[in-house]
Amino acid sequence: MLRDFLVWLQTELGKGPGEYPMSWSEALLGSLNFWGLLEGTHLLALMLFAGTIFVVDLRLLGVTFRRTPVSVLSQKVLPLTVFGFAIVIITGLALFYAKPLVYYHNIWFRAKLVFIAIALLNILLFHGRVQRNIAAWDTLAKPPTAARISAVASLSAWIIVITLGRFIAYDWYECGKPIPAWANVLQECAASEHGAASLAEVAQ
Amino acid sequence: MKPSDIFPTIRPWVEGLVDVWPAYIIKPQFASWQVLHILSLVVLGGVSILINLRLIGVGVTNESPSEVQRNLRPWMHVGVIGIIVSGVLIGMANAERLYDSVAFTVKMLALVAGVILTYGASLPTARADGRVSAGVRVWFLVGLAVFGLALFVFAGGELVNPGVWHMILAAALIVLIAAQGAAPVDLSGGPAGAGRGPVRGHPFHRQAGRLRAARPGKHRLCLGVPGVDLRPGGLAAVHRARSGERQAGQGHRLRHHPRLGRGRRRRAMDRLRLTHEEGPRGVGPSTTPGRGVRSVGRPGRGR
């Protein structure tokens, strides 16, 4: 059902009359400059978003800004982080819209979504539980273990998200190529237009 | 202007780079090294934004610029070394493509400009809490010249030049941020947007009022003024000079000015008193939570 929606999104939405009608998604993908601008904006916003969140995480680990209260640093830096995150999400959705089916059947993209969910869950846990008694450790150079674990989880999750984002561009596990069976299952290659080719069967 | 246009004779050497150590080791793990390049870029970007925003009075304003740079300087080194090392490695493994790329020329010029502006101007200025030395001015001009050259090549590069849009947008954002408070127009809005318009107490406030009265609807012309206002010694500086201790000095000078007649002296004293009653912006406890006195940067918005 989700795939049917994505097929409509990619091939039907915005399709006009004419000899070679293009959907909005196809027009976006085929644009000479706009696609590149979107990618550039996505990366620049990522620098703002991830770069600033790393600074807050390093403060929670007691590595930098050790004399600045955690609450003060968060208050000053996180608005920039949120601004960057908003642009990353908007440009990310636009990039997805240009090739929804390619991303849907991409194992790295699926893994990226999982780790984004983990990172967001970690933020919720931090604000809901860890930060509850922040008054007790706000000014400590080295915050308590729970805060440091949360910082490590945040750093790791966002680094993995960035790594997986880069791997999406590579076709190592592209549907239709001979790939391990588990990869075919995880990215639903059987439903894709290229089908599923098992590496084991090809080897035999 | 591609590297192959600048150094046309080195093509055989460039073509052989991929077979040289460590390029042939990097090539199979090219994507992983790209990830390292992007992660370094992210660290560098975050740190650079925080230090430079602090220098224009935004971001981590509860700490002095020297404290911000003291904390972030090691991470700046990590970012710069990271992009250079990973960049050289992936560049060697991909040398032939980069040799014929205008974007690569722009990137290298911008990298040189970035390093000069960061280590020659930005970090020393932050370390000195905003005091700009003669050496910093020289490095700033050199960095600006190289950056200008990068922009020139960027704007003329076929197919890559739409990227100049990012530069224009970034410049507009910087002007907007820097103009907050220093500009005659409050761009931040306010409760229910009531605050949009000339900032109270600014020299342009009265002027805008007169303009509004004289030519209804045309007062928006003064929106174009922030750029002029940001000049060193411009109206923003004049306005800042009105605040704090200088006010007492001005009063003293006015009272004992040898050439001022009694009438002019009284009027000048009245004007100074009026300014004092309106209150200088950016000094004294702020009414906005989390906004205190800033040691460097623009004056606060003041409402």
PDB file of all heavy atoms in Angstrom, chain A residues 163-189:
ATOM      1  N   THR A 163      26.699   8.555   8.113  1.00  0.00           N
ATOM      2  CA  THR A 163      27.394   7.503   7.352  1.00  0.00           C
ATOM      3  C   THR A 163      26.424   6.807   6.391  1.00  0.00           C
ATOM      4  O   THR A 163      26.725   6.641   5.198  1.00  0.00           O
ATOM      5  CB  THR A 163      27.984   6.464   8.332  1.00  0.00           C
ATOM      6  OG1 THR A 163      28.799   7.142   9.270  1.00  0.00           O
ATOM      7  CG2 THR A 163      28.799   5.421   7.604  1.00  0.00           C
ATOM      8  N   LEU A 164      25.253   6.428   6.919  1.00  0.00           N
ATOM      9  CA  LEU A 164      24.278   5.727   6.074  1.00  0.00           C
ATOM     10  C   LEU A 164      23.781   6.642   4.952  1.00  0.00           C
ATOM     11  O   LEU A 164      23.551   6.182   3.833  1.00  0.00           O
ATOM     12  CB  LEU A 164      23.095   5.253   6.932  1.00  0.00           C
ATOM     13  CG  LEU A 164      23.452   4.183   7.975  1.00  0.00           C
ATOM     14  CD1 LEU A 164      22.298   3.963   8.934  1.00  0.00           C
ATOM     15  CD2 LEU A 164      23.827   2.883   7.280  1.00  0.00           C
ATOM     16  N   GLY A 165      23.653   7.923   5.259  1.00  0.00           N
ATOM     17  CA  GLY A 165      23.232   8.887   4.243  1.00  0.00           C
ATOM     18  C   GLY A 165      24.207   8.921   3.073  1.00  0.00           C
ATOM     19  O   GLY A 165      23.805   9.018   1.916  1.00  0.00           O
ATOM     20  N   ARG A 166      25.498   8.832   3.380  1.00  0.00           N
ATOM     21  CA  ARG A 166      26.517   8.824   2.319  1.00  0.00           C
ATOM     22  C   ARG A 166      26.445   7.521   1.508  1.00  0.00           C
ATOM     23  O   ARG A 166      26.604   7.509   0.288  1.00  0.00           O
ATOM     24  CB  ARG A 166      27.903   9.008   2.943  1.00  0.00           C
ATOM     25  CG  ARG A 166      29.093   9.090   2.008  1.00  0.00           C
ATOM     26  CD  ARG A 166      29.060  10.237   1.072  1.00  0.00           C
ATOM     27  NE  ARG A 166      28.323   9.904  -0.134  1.00  0.00           N
ATOM     28  CZ  ARG A 166      28.235  10.656  -1.208  1.00  0.00           C
ATOM     29  NH1 ARG A 166      28.835  11.809  -1.267  1.00  0.00           N
ATOM     30  NH2 ARG A 166      27.549  10.291  -2.253  1.00  0.00           N
ATOM     31  N   PHE A 167      26.186   6.392   2.208  1.00  0.00           N
ATOM     32  CA  PHE A 167      26.171   5.080   1.547  1.00  0.00           C
ATOM     33  C   PHE A 167      24.982   4.927   0.584  1.00  0.00           C
ATOM     34  O   PHE A 167      25.020   4.078  -0.297  1.00  0.00           O
ATOM     35  CB  PHE A 167      26.137   3.948   2.590  1.00  0.00           C
ATOM     36  CG  PHE A 167      27.459   3.741   3.294  1.00  0.00           C
ATOM     37  CD1 PHE A 167      27.599   2.765   4.269  1.00  0.00           C
ATOM     38  CD2 PHE A 167      28.574   4.506   2.976  1.00  0.00           C
ATOM     39  CE1 PHE A 167      28.811   2.565   4.920  1.00  0.00           C
ATOM     40  CE2 PHE A 167      29.784   4.330   3.623  1.00  0.00           C
ATOM     41  CZ  PHE A 167      29.902   3.351   4.593  1.00  0.00           C
ATOM     42  N   ILE A 168      23.918   5.741   0.783  1.00  0.00           N
ATOM     43  CA  ILE A 168      22.739   5.636  -0.093  1.00  0.00           C
ATOM     44  C   ILE A 168      23.135   5.837  -1.561  1.00  0.00           C
ATOM     45  O   ILE A 168      22.565   5.233  -2.461  1.00  0.00           O
ATOM     46  CB  ILE A 168      21.670   6.695   0.311  1.00  0.00           C
ATOM     47  CG1 ILE A 168      21.036   6.322   1.645  1.00  0.00           C
ATOM     48  CG2 ILE A 168      20.572   6.811  -0.753  1.00  0.00           C
ATOM     49  CD1 ILE A 168      20.127   7.401   2.211  1.00  0.00           C
ATOM     50  N   ALA A 169      24.164   6.685  -1.768  1.00  0.00           N
ATOM     51  CA  ALA A 169      24.563   7.013  -3.142  1.00  0.00           C
ATOM     52  C   ALA A 169      25.224   5.838  -3.856  1.00  0.00           C
ATOM     53  O   ALA A 169      25.409   5.880  -5.076  1.00  0.00           O
ATOM     54  CB  ALA A 169      25.512   8.206  -3.118  1.00  0.00           C
ATOM     55  N   TYR A 170      25.604   4.793  -3.110  1.00  0.00           N
ATOM     56  CA  TYR A 170      26.319   3.672  -3.729  1.00  0.00           C
ATOM     57  C   TYR A 170      25.360   2.504  -4.017  1.00  0.00           C
ATOM     58  O   TYR A 170      24.412   2.280  -3.269  1.00  0.00           O
ATOM     59  CB  TYR A 170      27.459   3.213  -2.811  1.00  0.00           C
ATOM     60  CG  TYR A 170      28.571   4.242  -2.776  1.00  0.00           C
ATOM     61  CD1 TYR A 170      28.505   5.323  -1.906  1.00  0.00           C
ATOM     62  CD2 TYR A 170      29.643   4.164  -3.647  1.00  0.00           C
ATOM     63  CE1 TYR A 170      29.491   6.298  -1.889  1.00  0.00           C
ATOM     64  CE2 TYR A 170      30.635   5.127  -3.648  1.00  0.00           C
ATOM     65  CZ  TYR A 170      30.559   6.192  -2.768  1.00  0.00           C
ATOM     66  OH  TYR A 170      31.528   7.144  -2.772  1.00  0.00           O
ATOM     67  N   ASP A 171      25.648   1.768  -5.103  1.00  0.00           N
ATOM     68  CA  ASP A 171      24.706   0.725  -5.551  1.00  0.00           C
ATOM     69  C   ASP A 171      25.147  -0.690  -5.152  1.00  0.00           C
ATOM     70  O   ASP A 171      24.824  -1.652  -5.817  1.00  0.00           O
ATOM     71  CB  ASP A 171      24.529   0.816  -7.070  1.00  0.00           C
ATOM     72  CG  ASP A 171      25.844   0.610  -7.812  1.00  0.00           C
ATOM     73  OD1 ASP A 171      26.894   0.470  -7.149  1.00  0.00           O
ATOM     74  OD2 ASP A 171      25.838   0.584  -9.053  1.00  0.00           O
ATOM     75  N   TRP A 172      25.870  -0.790  -4.044  1.00  0.00           N
ATOM     76  CA  TRP A 172      26.384  -2.107  -3.634  1.00  0.00           C
ATOM     77  C   TRP A 172      25.263  -3.142  -3.483  1.00  0.00           C
ATOM     78  O   TRP A 172      25.436  -4.298  -3.774  1.00  0.00           O
ATOM     79  CB  TRP A 172      27.130  -2.006  -2.291  1.00  0.00           C
ATOM     80  CG  TRP A 172      28.268  -1.044  -2.280  1.00  0.00           C
ATOM     81  CD1 TRP A 172      29.220  -0.898  -3.236  1.00  0.00           C
ATOM     82  CD2 TRP A 172      28.580  -0.087  -1.266  1.00  0.00           C
ATOM     83  NE1 TRP A 172      30.108   0.088  -2.882  1.00  0.00           N
ATOM     84  CE2 TRP A 172      29.754   0.607  -1.668  1.00  0.00           C
ATOM     85  CE3 TRP A 172      28.015   0.264  -0.055  1.00  0.00           C
ATOM     86  CZ2 TRP A 172      30.346   1.605  -0.920  1.00  0.00           C
ATOM     87  CZ3 TRP A 172      28.599   1.257   0.701  1.00  0.00           C
ATOM     88  CH2 TRP A 172      29.752   1.918   0.274  1.00  0.00           C
ATOM     89  N   TYR A 173      24.108  -2.692  -2.952  1.00  0.00           N
ATOM     90  CA  TYR A 173      23.010  -3.629  -2.681  1.00  0.00           C
ATOM     91  C   TYR A 173      21.772  -3.283  -3.498  1.00  0.00           C
ATOM     92  O   TYR A 173      20.651  -3.446  -3.040  1.00  0.00           O
ATOM     93  CB  TYR A 173      22.659  -3.616  -1.183  1.00  0.00           C
ATOM     94  CG  TYR A 173      23.707  -4.283  -0.323  1.00  0.00           C
ATOM     95  CD1 TYR A 173      24.658  -3.517   0.342  1.00  0.00           C
ATOM     96  CD2 TYR A 173      23.757  -5.663  -0.191  1.00  0.00           C
ATOM     97  CE1 TYR A 173      25.631  -4.104   1.123  1.00  0.00           C
ATOM     98  CE2 TYR A 173      24.728  -6.272   0.578  1.00  0.00           C
ATOM     99  CZ  TYR A 173      25.665  -5.484   1.236  1.00  0.00           C
ATOM    100  OH  TYR A 173      26.638  -6.085   2.004  1.00  0.00           O
ATOM    101  N   GLU A 174      21.987  -2.804  -4.716  1.00  0.00           N
ATOM    102  CA  GLU A 174      20.851  -2.373  -5.529  1.00  0.00           C
ATOM    103  C   GLU A 174      20.000  -3.578  -5.943  1.00  0.00           C
ATOM    104  O   GLU A 174      20.540  -4.637  -6.313  1.00  0.00           O
ATOM    105  CB  GLU A 174      21.370  -1.665  -6.786  1.00  0.00           C
ATOM    106  CG  GLU A 174      20.351  -0.763  -7.442  1.00  0.00           C
ATOM    107  CD  GLU A 174      20.961   0.016  -8.600  1.00  0.00           C
ATOM    108  OE1 GLU A 174      21.492  -0.607  -9.540  1.00  0.00           O
ATOM    109  OE2 GLU A 174      20.930   1.253  -8.560  1.00  0.00           O
ATOM    110  N   CYS A 175      18.670  -3.401  -5.890  1.00  0.00           N
ATOM    111  CA  CYS A 175      17.760  -4.464  -6.306  1.00  0.00           C
ATOM    112  C   CYS A 175      18.014  -4.810  -7.785  1.00  0.00           C
ATOM    113  O   CYS A 175      18.267  -3.915  -8.596  1.00  0.00           O
ATOM    114  CB  CYS A 175      16.303  -4.023  -6.129  1.00  0.00           C
ATOM    115  SG  CYS A 175      15.789  -3.978  -4.416  1.00  0.00           S
ATOM    116  N   GLY A 176      17.925  -6.081  -8.104  1.00  0.00           N
ATOM    117  CA  GLY A 176      18.157  -6.516  -9.476  1.00  0.00           C
ATOM    118  C   GLY A 176      19.563  -7.045  -9.679  1.00  0.00           C
ATOM    119  O   GLY A 176      19.816  -7.851 -10.571  1.00  0.00           O
ATOM    120  N   LYS A 177      20.503  -6.595  -8.805  1.00  0.00           N
ATOM    121  CA  LYS A 177      21.874  -7.122  -8.859  1.00  0.00           C
ATOM    122  C   LYS A 177      21.943  -8.370  -7.982  1.00  0.00           C
ATOM    123  O   LYS A 177      21.137  -8.508  -7.047  1.00  0.00           O
ATOM    124  CB  LYS A 177      22.860  -6.072  -8.323  1.00  0.00           C
ATOM    125  CG  LYS A 177      23.073  -4.901  -9.273  1.00  0.00           C
ATOM    126  CD  LYS A 177      23.899  -3.821  -8.645  1.00  0.00           C
ATOM    127  CE  LYS A 177      25.344  -4.223  -8.503  1.00  0.00           C
ATOM    128  NZ  LYS A 177      26.175  -3.094  -8.005  1.00  0.00           N
ATOM    129  N   PRO A 178      22.855  -9.266  -8.256  1.00  0.00           N
ATOM    130  CA  PRO A 178      22.975 -10.440  -7.376  1.00  0.00           C
ATOM    131  C   PRO A 178      23.467 -10.024  -5.987  1.00  0.00           C
ATOM    132  O   PRO A 178      24.622  -9.616  -5.826  1.00  0.00           O
ATOM    133  CB  PRO A 178      24.032 -11.309  -8.068  1.00  0.00           C
ATOM    134  CG  PRO A 178      24.249 -10.711  -9.402  1.00  0.00           C
ATOM    135  CD  PRO A 178      23.809  -9.299  -9.368  1.00  0.00           C
ATOM    136  N   ILE A 179      22.593 -10.062  -5.012  1.00  0.00           N
ATOM    137  CA  ILE A 179      22.930  -9.653  -3.634  1.00  0.00           C
ATOM    138  C   ILE A 179      22.459 -10.733  -2.666  1.00  0.00           C
ATOM    139  O   ILE A 179      21.624 -11.566  -3.039  1.00  0.00           O
ATOM    140  CB  ILE A 179      22.278  -8.291  -3.278  1.00  0.00           C
ATOM    141  CG1 ILE A 179      20.772  -8.294  -3.572  1.00  0.00           C
ATOM    142  CG2 ILE A 179      22.942  -7.143  -4.000  1.00  0.00           C
ATOM    143  CD1 ILE A 179      20.039  -7.033  -3.147  1.00  0.00           C
ATOM    144  N   PRO A 180      22.980 -10.747  -1.435  1.00  0.00           N
ATOM    145  CA  PRO A 180      22.556 -11.774  -0.471  1.00  0.00           C
ATOM    146  C   PRO A 180      21.040 -11.768  -0.269  1.00  0.00           C
ATOM    147  O   PRO A 180      20.397 -10.716  -0.384  1.00  0.00           O
ATOM    148  CB  PRO A 180      23.280 -11.365   0.811  1.00  0.00           C
ATOM    149  CG  PRO A 180      24.431 -10.549   0.370  1.00  0.00           C
ATOM    150  CD  PRO A 180      24.013  -9.866  -0.878  1.00  0.00           C
ATOM    151  N   ALA A 181      20.513 -12.942   0.079  1.00  0.00           N
ATOM    152  CA  ALA A 181      19.055 -13.089   0.228  1.00  0.00           C
ATOM    153  C   ALA A 181      18.492 -12.138   1.290  1.00  0.00           C
ATOM    154  O   ALA A 181      17.410 -11.570   1.117  1.00  0.00           O
ATOM    155  CB  ALA A 181      18.731 -14.529   0.578  1.00  0.00           C
ATOM    156  N   TRP A 182      19.247 -11.984   2.390  1.00  0.00           N
ATOM    157  CA  TRP A 182      18.754 -11.129   3.473  1.00  0.00           C
ATOM    158  C   TRP A 182      18.582  -9.673   3.001  1.00  0.00           C
ATOM    159  O   TRP A 182      17.662  -8.975   3.402  1.00  0.00           O
ATOM    160  CB  TRP A 182      19.671 -11.179   4.698  1.00  0.00           C
ATOM    161  CG  TRP A 182      21.113 -10.805   4.449  1.00  0.00           C
ATOM    162  CD1 TRP A 182      22.139 -11.646   4.179  1.00  0.00           C
ATOM    163  CD2 TRP A 182      21.671  -9.478   4.431  1.00  0.00           C
ATOM    164  NE1 TRP A 182      23.310 -10.955   3.987  1.00  0.00           N
ATOM    165  CE2 TRP A 182      23.053  -9.613   4.149  1.00  0.00           C
ATOM    166  CE3 TRP A 182      21.165  -8.203   4.628  1.00  0.00           C
ATOM    167  CZ2 TRP A 182      23.919  -8.526   4.045  1.00  0.00           C
ATOM    168  CZ3 TRP A 182      22.022  -7.111   4.536  1.00  0.00           C
ATOM    169  CH2 TRP A 182      23.375  -7.282   4.252  1.00  0.00           C
ATOM    170  N   ALA A 183      19.466  -9.234   2.082  1.00  0.00           N
ATOM    171  CA  ALA A 183      19.360  -7.860   1.567  1.00  0.00           C
ATOM    172  C   ALA A 183      18.125  -7.732   0.681  1.00  0.00           C
ATOM    173  O   ALA A 183      17.418  -6.725   0.716  1.00  0.00           O
ATOM    174  CB  ALA A 183      20.612  -7.495   0.789  1.00  0.00           C
ATOM    175  N   ASN A 184      17.845  -8.793  -0.110  1.00  0.00           N
ATOM    176  CA  ASN A 184      16.633  -8.790  -0.935  1.00  0.00           C
ATOM    177  C   ASN A 184      15.382  -8.662  -0.080  1.00  0.00           C
ATOM    178  O   ASN A 184      14.448  -7.950  -0.435  1.00  0.00           O
ATOM    179  CB  ASN A 184      16.560 -10.077  -1.764  1.00  0.00           C
ATOM    180  CG  ASN A 184      17.380  -9.977  -3.043  1.00  0.00           C
ATOM    181  OD1 ASN A 184      17.363  -8.942  -3.701  1.00  0.00           O
ATOM    182  ND2 ASN A 184      18.101 -11.039  -3.379  1.00  0.00           N
ATOM    183  N   VAL A 185      15.394  -9.375   1.055  1.00  0.00           N
ATOM    184  CA  VAL A 185      14.224  -9.352   1.941  1.00  0.00           C
ATOM    185  C   VAL A 185      14.092  -7.983   2.604  1.00  0.00           C
ATOM    186  O   VAL A 185      13.012  -7.381   2.615  1.00  0.00           O
ATOM    187  CB  VAL A 185      14.343 -10.462   3.017  1.00  0.00           C
ATOM    188  CG1 VAL A 185      13.232 -10.324   4.059  1.00  0.00           C
ATOM    189  CG2 VAL A 185      14.295 -11.826   2.365  1.00  0.00           C
ATOM    190  N   LEU A 186      15.216  -7.481   3.137  1.00  0.00           N
ATOM    191  CA  LEU A 186      15.169  -6.229   3.911  1.00  0.00           C
ATOM    192  C   LEU A 186      14.725  -5.027   3.081  1.00  0.00           C
ATOM    193  O   LEU A 186      14.099  -4.106   3.595  1.00  0.00           O
ATOM    194  CB  LEU A 186      16.547  -5.937   4.531  1.00  0.00           C
ATOM    195  CG  LEU A 186      16.892  -6.720   5.791  1.00  0.00           C
ATOM    196  CD1 LEU A 186      18.294  -6.364   6.265  1.00  0.00           C
ATOM    197  CD2 LEU A 186      15.890  -6.431   6.905  1.00  0.00           C
ATOM    198  N   GLN A 187      15.052  -5.026   1.779  1.00  0.00           N
ATOM    199  CA  GLN A 187      14.651  -3.860   0.974  1.00  0.00           C
ATOM    200  C   GLN A 187      13.526  -4.200  -0.011  1.00  0.00           C
ATOM    201  O   GLN A 187      13.280  -3.434  -0.947  1.00  0.00           O
ATOM    202  CB  GLN A 187      15.849  -3.225   0.275  1.00  0.00           C
ATOM    203  CG  GLN A 187      16.766  -4.167  -0.465  1.00  0.00           C
ATOM    204  CD  GLN A 187      18.046  -3.493  -0.921  1.00  0.00           C
ATOM    205  OE1 GLN A 187      18.395  -2.397  -0.512  1.00  0.00           O
ATOM    206  NE2 GLN A 187      18.779  -4.157  -1.806  1.00  0.00           N
ATOM    207  N   GLU A 188      12.850  -5.324   0.230  1.00  0.00           N
ATOM    208  CA  GLU A 188      11.664  -5.728  -0.560  1.00  0.00           C
ATOM    209  C   GLU A 188      11.933  -5.673  -2.057  1.00  0.00           C
ATOM    210  O   GLU A 188      11.166  -5.101  -2.830  1.00  0.00           O
ATOM    211  CB  GLU A 188      10.453  -4.837  -0.219  1.00  0.00           C
ATOM    212  CG  GLU A 188       9.956  -4.977   1.193  1.00  0.00           C
ATOM    213  CD  GLU A 188       8.803  -4.033   1.484  1.00  0.00           C
ATOM    214  OE1 GLU A 188       7.810  -4.049   0.730  1.00  0.00           O
ATOM    215  OE2 GLU A 188       8.905  -3.263   2.459  1.00  0.00           O
ATOM    216  N   CYS A 189      13.041  -6.286  -2.465  1.00  0.00           N
ATOM    217  CA  CYS A 189      13.424  -6.228  -3.880  1.00  0.00           C
ATOM    218  C   CYS A 189      12.417  -6.945  -4.779  1.00  0.00           C
ATOM    219  O   CYS A 189      12.231  -6.564  -5.938  1.00  0.00           O
ATOM    220  CB  CYS A 189      14.805  -6.849  -4.071  1.00  0.00           C
ATOM    221  SG  CYS A 189      16.127  -5.751  -3.559  1.00  0.00           S
TER     222      CYS A 189
END
